């Protein structure tokens, strides 16, 4: 995780605010002055543990589970759909079941895959809050949760896409899908040209988080760095 | 909010801090154990008023909504929360010290 690494040099003469019980400096994230809301989080968590609602281990394993989810999961699903027409058809029919087939835990949600074609581009948003296909993509990026994105994605999607560097021709139909707590969308981007000979793993490397939200397109094969 | 006018989409992001991940975990766990519903959280968030979206960060609003639902559900009392938050303030000046890891 990026925030396990300190940007500054480790200077052991430098005074750290507080050491952990094991004598190590706290992670940088934890060095800032305690806020009211952080105190509330600690208090709620401790009370829940004391009341037997949850345990510290259960919370830690939930965080691990969340950390293990990343756009790589969604990319694997997209690459499988590009490589296997029968899988793609199952994905478009029931994205939850198709993803479970690959071993991904989708929970009780309805997951719907929406396919980009030559003349249609799909964009997902949650105007209400932050509903997102987190089981396949991990936690949503900050911009997905902003007032600006949530307000404007449904009002002027072309202008929003342009801010992401995506200028679609007027002839392209843009469909905006508003997620709910029970219904999540994932965009199945169109397979880029020139990828005919690529393996599923190579295809997955072309699939970005943003192209599964609809604010981007897959990478082109020649822009992927070759190993070595 | 959907359809309202708004400025450019801010693209900068941040890594989630430990306390934010813990809020997320508490929300998922308490919800899966039936202590509140997504609708209950939504109501609490809506009740904060529009300016809460300007004044507070995402996980600040969520811990407030989780807390409100747990108190309403009788999991603990407002007094228990207040007492604990005071205790925590006395533990140290940083999250790491106050959370004891």
């Amino acid at each position: 995780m990026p925030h396990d690494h300190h940007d500054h040099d480790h200077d052991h003469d430098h005074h750290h605010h507080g050491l952990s019980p094991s004598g190590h400096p706290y992670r940088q994230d934890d060095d800032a002055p305690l806020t009211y809301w952080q105190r509330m989080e600690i208090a709620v968590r401790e009370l829940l543990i004391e009341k037997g609602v949850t345990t510290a281990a259960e919370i830690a394993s939930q965080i691990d589970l969340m950390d293990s989810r990343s756009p790589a999961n969604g990319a694997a699903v997209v690459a499988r759909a590009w490589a296997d027409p029968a899988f793609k058809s199952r994905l478009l029919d029931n994205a939850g079941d198709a993803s479970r087939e690959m071993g991904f835990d989708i929970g009780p949600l309805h997951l719907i895959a929406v396919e980009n074609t030559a003349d249609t581009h799909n964009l997902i948003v949650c105007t209400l809050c932050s509903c997102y296909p987190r089981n396949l993509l991990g936690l949503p990026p900050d911009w997905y949760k902003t007032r600006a994105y949530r307000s404007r994605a449904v009002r002027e999607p072309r202008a929003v896409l342009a801010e992401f560097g995506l200028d679609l021709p007027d002839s392209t139909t843009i469909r905006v899908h508003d997620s709910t707590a029970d219904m999540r969308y994932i965009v199945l981007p169109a397979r880029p040209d020139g990828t005919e000979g690529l393996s599923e793993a190579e295809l997955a490397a072309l699939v970005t988080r943003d192209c599964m939200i609809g604010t981007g397109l897959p990478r082109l094969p020649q822009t992927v760095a070759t190993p070595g | 909010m959907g359809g309202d006018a708004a400025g450019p989409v801010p693209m900068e992001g941040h890594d989630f801090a430990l306390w934010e991940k813990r809020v997320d975990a508490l929300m998922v766990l308490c919800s899966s154990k039936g202590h509140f519903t997504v609708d209950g959280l939504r109501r609490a968030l809506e009740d904060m008023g529009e300016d809460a979206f300007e004044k507070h960060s995402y996980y600040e609003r969520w811990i407030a909504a989780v807390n409100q639902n747990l108190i309403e559900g009788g999991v603990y009392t407002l007094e228990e929360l207040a007492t604990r938050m005071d205790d925590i303030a006395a533990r140290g000046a940083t999250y790491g010290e106050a959370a004891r890891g």
Side-chain angles (χ1 to χ4, degrees):
Chain A
M1 292 302 298
H3 56 245
D4 287 337
H5 302 281
H6 293 240
D7 288 324
H8 58 77
D9 293 333
H10 282 281
D11 175 353
H12 290 282
D13 295 323
H14 174 75
H15 172 72
H16 282 282
H17 297 287
L19 298 175
S20 72
S22 60
H24 291 92
Y26 286 108
R27 303 193 308 184
Q28 195 170 26
D29 275 337
D30 301 343
D31 285 349
L34 182 66
T35 68
Y36 173 83
W37 302 104
Q38 289 172 339
R39 276 198 291 135
M40 182 179 282
E41 177 275 311
I42 299 167
V44 169
R45 177 162 46 86
E46 289 181 354
L47 288 167
L48 286 171
I49 291 170
E50 287 166 20
K51 305 279 181 186
V53 171
T54 185
T55 62
E58 193 173 46
I59 295 166
S61 81
Q62 175 61 34
I63 292 175
D64 281 348
L65 179 64
M66 192 160 52
D67 279 344
S68 72
R69 292 176 180 153
S70 80
N73 296 5
V77 171
V78 168
R80 175 72 54 92
W82 284 349
D84 178 350
F87 178 79
K88 176 179 165 181
S89 146
R90 294 199 293 281
L91 182 73
L92 293 173
D93 186 47
N94 185 328
D97 283 350
S99 303
R100 286 183 194 103
E101 214 180 279
M102 292 183 67
F104 296 118
D105 167 29
I106 302 301
L109 306 172
H110 283 291
L111 182 67
I112 298 170
V114 287
E115 184 185 15
N116 286 351
T117 63
D119 54 12
T120 303
H121 183 88
N122 294 282
L123 178 67
I124 61 174
V125 63
C126 174
T127 57
L128 201 53
C129 49
S130 56
C131 298
Y132 185 74
R134 51 161 66 198
N135 295 46
L136 283 185
L137 300 188
L139 293 174
D142 283 347
W143 56 257
Y144 187 84
K145 303 182 286 188
T146 59
R147 170 188 288 258
Y149 181 73
R150 293 157 51 208
S151 302
R152 293 177 52 229
V154 290
R155 179 192 179 99
E156 43 177 6
R158 272 176 215 280
V160 170
L161 290 176
E163 286 170 33
F164 283 88
L166 200 54
D167 286 300
L168 296 176
D170 287 344
S171 56
T172 303
T173 302
I174 300 180
R175 294 213 172 104
V176 182
H177 304 270
D178 195 357
S179 316
T180 68
D182 314 309
M183 196 174 293
R184 311 290 169 98
Y185 295 91
I186 183 167
V187 175
L188 173 59
R191 179 171 173 165
D193 291 337
T195 57
E196 289 72 19
L198 298 189
S199 69
E200 217 172 288
E202 288 168 330
L203 288 172
L206 305 177
V207 183
T208 62
R209 177 195 69 200
D210 284 9
C211 81
M212 293 181 279
I213 303 174
T215 51
L217 295 176
R219 295 186 184 99
L220 298 175
Q222 61 270 25
T223 62
V224 176
T226 48
Chain B
M1 171 160 300
D4 290 350
V9 179
M11 300 294 179
E12 67 276 10
H14 79 297
D15 288 320
F16 295 102
L18 179 58
W19 82 273
E20 294 177 302
K21 292 183 177 189
R22 282 171 165 165
V23 172
D24 201 277
L26 293 178
M27 178 180 65
V28 171
L29 290 171
C30 291
S31 176
S32 71
K33 291 166 191 282
H35 290 286
F36 46 71
T37 63
V38 173
D39 297 331
L41 291 178
R42 273 299 333 147
R43 179 198 27 92
L45 289 167
E46 300 288 347
D47 286 350
M48 289 173 204
E50 265 201 64
D51 67 340
F53 284 84
E54 307 297 342
K55 290 195 298 206
H56 306 306
S57 74
Y58 182 76
Y59 281 110
E60 289 174 350
R61 298 192 300 270
W62 279 104
I63 189 60
V66 165
N67 175 60
Q68 188 181 327
N69 275 262
L70 290 172
I71 290 174
E72 288 172 2
V75 177
Y76 52 79
T77 66
L78 188 56
E79 290 69 30
E80 285 176 299
L81 177 80
T83 304
R84 183 58 55 99
M85 284 181 70
D86 285 347
D87 291 349
I88 292 164
R91 292 178 193 167
T94 68
Y95 181 79
E97 290 166 306
R100 293 175 174 156

